[in-house]
Amino acid sequence: MIRDLYNVRLRPADDEPAPLTDEEEQRFRAVLFSELGNTIAEQGWARFPAYTIEDRRRLVETAHRLTEYWGMRVTVEAEDHCRLLLRLAGPEAAPEALPGQP
């Protein structure tokens, strides 16, 4: 049986997910700093997904914090529309060290 729906309206979709509380945000940024910092320290680069604008802001802030902490510049590059690459600037992270790139 097929039923027709009358006077049904689509609600506008929320573009943003539910925001994190201040405590959750601080803990998430601390984990990013620690985990990405360890990965970058080991191999000179790290990839991380960034599906929202807020995700990108967190990763850029993490790169700035790592730069201040280490005294070495950490760059952020968009690899595609949902992934960012953080790496050390300079000869420490040569492009040939990145898999899948010529």
Side-chain angles (χ1 to χ4, degrees):
M1 171 196 264
I2 298 175
R3 295 184 181 178
D4 292 328
L5 299 175
Y6 297 101
N7 295 325
V8 174
R9 297 181 200 147
L10 295 176
R11 293 181 49 189
D14 293 330
D15 292 330
E16 300 177 13
L20 299 176
T21 65
D22 290 338
E23 180 184 349
E24 291 170 333
E25 185 71 31
Q26 288 175 351
R27 288 191 323 208
F28 184 58
R29 289 178 189 256
V31 168
L32 281 177
F33 182 80
S34 174
E35 295 297 319
L36 291 177
N38 289 339
T39 303
I40 294 169
E42 288 175 7
Q43 60 191 24
W45 59 273
R47 287 188 177 103
F48 202 81
Y51 300 110
T52 65
I53 293 172
E54 188 56 36
D55 290 340
R56 290 177 181 263
R57 285 185 188 133
R58 287 181 188 116
L59 291 172
V60 169
E61 180 185 312
T62 300
H64 290 302
R65 288 180 58 207
L66 288 169
T67 296
E68 290 174 14
Y69 184 74
W70 288 335
M72 299 171 62
R73 188 165 169 243
V74 177
T75 62
V76 180
E77 300 172 26
E79 286 195 316
D80 55 30
H81 66 279
C82 63
R83 185 171 51 185
L84 293 180
L85 172 70
L86 286 77
R87 68 175 161 183
L88 291 173
E92 299 85 16
E96 62 269 10
L98 297 174
Q101 290 190 356

